[in-house]
């Protein structure tokens, strides 16, 4: 029998696909229902509906597992029964024998699921659809170990009739799947960072890493996909802007692929259910490059400010 983590990831692959269809349907209808939660922080009907789908579907199968979603919604609100997804992806389940004992034996009380139903909401409203992802991350005893990154608009530039959507998933110790891993150009140092939440510390930290090019994009999930596909060398964000639901799934997939995601100080990000949701000390991620090299180049003043 598959352990609980493998079953949750297998369920999350199916659920993320269902949530992705909901996101596309909202866009097709043209009724985004935009709400500004705070400055530079939007919520749409797609965020709300996708989260209802994801959380309700996970609760139906794993009622004792803690689940945290980005959007603050009415827990008593009825969910469209057509949104409840209960299937388990067979491609995930076939890897169950490769799972490490600590992950295989994880109990419900050890597990926390972090959900971002629509990462890259601003980009979604602006038509930058390749930036948009659905993120479902699984943590065991505070460590990100499993994740699903679903791109609802992958292949959207191929024209009408093209099949949309791509699922990337990973479990630490098993591997990462759904993409073609590549190595970034050796003679360059391309860094990705935020396109909408920049400040002086973010700019100074990126410049300190001596980039040959800076790629400013939306969404933590999208930035980690750029790493996985060899389009950038590092993801540098020296600011307390990201939340646990932004980084849990990308960290797990990146780690499963052999990469690393930490805070800007080089310390692990904890994902226990009692931790603050905001990642106060930023994000630093690499795959094929020396993580410590980038960490060492972050200005000391920036690190001190983020430490508080």
């Amino acid at each position: 029998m598959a352990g609980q983590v493998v079953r949750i990831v297998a369920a999350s692959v199916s659920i993320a696909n269902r949530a992705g269809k909901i996101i596309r349907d909202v866009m097709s209808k043209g009724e985004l229902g935009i709400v500004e939660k705070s400055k530079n922080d939007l919520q749409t009907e797609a965020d709300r509906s996708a989260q209802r789908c994801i959380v309700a579907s996970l609760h139906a199968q794993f009622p004792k597992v803690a689940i945290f979603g980005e959007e603050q919604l009415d827990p008593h609100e009825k969910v469209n029964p057509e949104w409840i997804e209960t299937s388990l992806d067979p491609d995930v389940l076939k890897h169950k024998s490769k799972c490490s004992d600590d992950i295989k034996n994880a109990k419900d009380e050890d597990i926390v699921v972090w959900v971002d139903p629509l990462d890259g909401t601003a980009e979604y409203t602006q038509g930058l659809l390749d930036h948009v992802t659905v993120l479902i991350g699984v943590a065991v005893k505070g460590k990100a170990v499993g994740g699903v990154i679903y791109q609802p608009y992958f292949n959207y530039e191929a024209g009408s009739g093209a099949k949309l959507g791509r699922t990337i998933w990973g479990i630490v110790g098993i591997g990462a799947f759904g993409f073609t891993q590549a190595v970034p150009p050796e003679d360059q140092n391309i860094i990705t960072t935020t396109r909408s939440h920049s400040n002086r510390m973010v700019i100074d930290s990126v410049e300190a890493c001596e980039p040959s090019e800076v790629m400013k994009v939306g969404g933590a999930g999208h930035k980690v996909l750029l790493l996985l596909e060899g389009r950038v060398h590092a993801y540098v964000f020296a600011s307390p802007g990201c939340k646990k639901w932004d980084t849990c799934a990308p960290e797990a997939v990146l780690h499963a692929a052999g990469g690393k995601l930490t805070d800007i100080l080089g310390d692990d990000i904890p994902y226990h259910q009692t931790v603050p949701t905001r990642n106060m000390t930023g994000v630093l991620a690499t795959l094929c490059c020396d993580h410590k090299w980038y960490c060492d180049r972050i200005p000391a003043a920036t690190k001190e400010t983020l430490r508080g």
Side-chain angles (χ1 to χ4, degrees):
M1 180 176 175
Q4 195 74 318
V5 169
V6 173
R7 291 182 66 247
I8 292 172
V9 173
S12 296
V13 167
S14 299
I15 293 166
N17 276 266
R18 178 63 61 93
K21 183 179 184 306
I22 292 170
I23 290 167
R24 291 192 295 267
D25 287 347
V26 170
M27 177 64 79
S28 296
K29 292 175 183 176
E31 299 175 359
L32 299 188
I34 300 171
V35 175
E36 189 169 13
K37 296 187 290 185
S38 61
K39 186 178 180 181
N40 294 327
D41 191 5
L42 303 179
Q43 181 196 84
T44 69
E45 183 55 42
D47 296 81
R48 296 186 288 272
S49 296
Q51 179 160 308
R52 292 185 187 106
C53 162
I54 296 167
V55 173
S57 297
L58 287 171
H59 269 311
Q61 299 181 73
F62 312 101
K64 296 182 180 179
V65 171
I67 302 169
F68 294 92
E70 176 177 7
E71 310 307 337
Q72 301 299 312
L73 304 176
D74 182 353
H76 304 294
E77 186 175 2
K78 290 195 69 173
V79 176
N80 185 337
E82 294 183 359
W83 293 354
I84 307 299
E85 177 62 59
T86 58
S87 66
L88 302 180
D89 185 80
D91 288 337
V92 177
L93 293 178
K94 73 182 182 183
H95 294 278
K96 63 186 180 182
S97 62
K98 303 174 187 175
C99 206
S100 64
D101 288 342
D102 57 335
I103 295 178
K104 185 186 301 181
N105 298 328
K107 299 179 174 60
D108 285 349
E109 57 267 29
D110 300 327
I111 301 171
V112 180
V113 179
W114 295 92
V115 175
D116 190 338
L118 200 168
D119 187 38
T121 300
E123 287 71 27
Y124 176 70
T125 66
Q126 296 162 9
L128 299 171
L129 300 179
D130 53 327
H131 296 221
V132 174
T133 59
V134 176
L135 304 176
I136 306 176
V138 184
V140 172
K141 296 182 178 178
K143 293 185 178 296
V145 300
V148 175
I149 304 173
Y150 181 73
Q151 287 183 289
Y153 290 101
F154 179 77
N155 208 33
Y156 83 104
E157 293 178 322
S160 60
K163 183 180 178 181
L164 298 179
R166 175 173 68 157
T167 308
I168 292 90
W169 68 273
I171 298 176
V172 175
I174 292 180
F177 306 87
F179 65 98
T180 301
Q181 188 168 328
V183 177
E186 289 185 12
D187 58 345
Q188 298 182 53
N189 180 26
I190 307 168
I191 292 176
T192 186
T193 192
T194 181
R195 67 178 289 270
S196 56
H197 295 86
S198 193
N199 57 39
R200 191 69 253 169
M201 285 199 306
V202 171
I203 295 168
D204 289 346
S205 296
V206 169
E207 290 179 351
C209 292
E210 305 170 15
S212 59
E213 179 183 343
V214 178
M215 194 176 294
K216 295 180 180 180
V217 302
H222 180 48
K223 294 179 184 72
V224 167
L225 288 178
L226 295 178
L227 278 171
L228 291 168
E229 296 185 320
R231 295 174 61 189
V232 301
H233 297 71
Y235 163 19
V236 179
F237 183 55
S239 175
C242 281
K243 310 286 199 329
K244 298 296 185 293
W245 42 72
D246 295 311
T247 55
C248 186
E251 177 178 343
V253 174
L254 186 62
H255 189 177
K260 192 168 186 176
L261 187 150
T262 66
D263 69 8
I264 212 75
L265 310 175
D267 296 329
D268 292 339
I269 296 174
Y271 294 98
H272 302 88
Q273 61 176 299
T274 56
V275 297
T277 57
R278 187 180 291 271
N279 295 326
M280 295 302 296
T281 44
V283 178
L284 175 64
T286 58
L287 177 55
C288 300
C289 303
D290 184 350
H291 194 85
K292 187 176 183 299
W293 186 90
Y294 290 94
C295 188
D296 287 347
R297 273 153 185 77
I298 303 301
T302 295
K303 291 181 178 178
E304 194 60 33
T305 298
L306 291 176
R307 283 192 186 99

